[in-house]
Amino acid sequence: MRRRFLAAAAAALAGGLACAAPLARPTSEAEVARISAEDLKKAMDARSVVVVDVRSQAPYDAGHLRGALLWDEAAADKVVETLKASGKAVVTYCT
């Protein structure tokens, strides 16, 4: 399990893992906060973040970080409300 998490986290980092305050909208890539795999694991263990997988359904079904929500474009308003209500930092990943 640890190996799978680290592999997924490494892939996410390579593909552009971002962490920002809930629903903060950066205006450039330089404004997107980054998080290490180690810090992400700590935050997930502390349940202080919401992790959102922004890939499509098929890759999500093939494997995703435990507890990650699937970004559903069709239900974006509902997902955004869920993220706002959590009051937690939001971490997105793809790849």
Side-chain angles (χ1 to χ4, degrees):
M1 181 60 202
R2 177 176 163 81
R3 185 176 186 167
R4 184 174 182 191
F5 171 82
L6 292 176
L13 285 171
L17 179 69
C19 177
L23 305 175
R25 264 190 197 198
T27 57
S28 71
E29 187 173 337
E31 293 178 356
V32 176
R34 303 292 175 179
I35 185 171
S36 69
E38 181 179 334
D39 288 343
L40 175 59
K41 175 141 179 29
K42 288 178 186 174
M44 290 174 71
D45 289 347
R47 300 182 190 271
S48 62
V49 296
V50 176
V51 179
V52 180
D53 187 325
V54 297
R55 301 173 300 163
S56 62
Q57 185 74 53
Y60 177 86
D61 289 343
H64 57 273
L65 295 177
R66 183 178 297 190
L69 302 175
L70 174 62
W71 176 256
D72 181 357
E73 191 68 34
D77 290 341
K78 184 176 181 180
V79 174
V80 168
E81 288 306 313
T82 299
L83 296 175
K84 280 183 183 179
S86 78
K88 298 178 181 181
V90 175
V91 177
T92 61
Y93 77 97
C94 60
T95 304

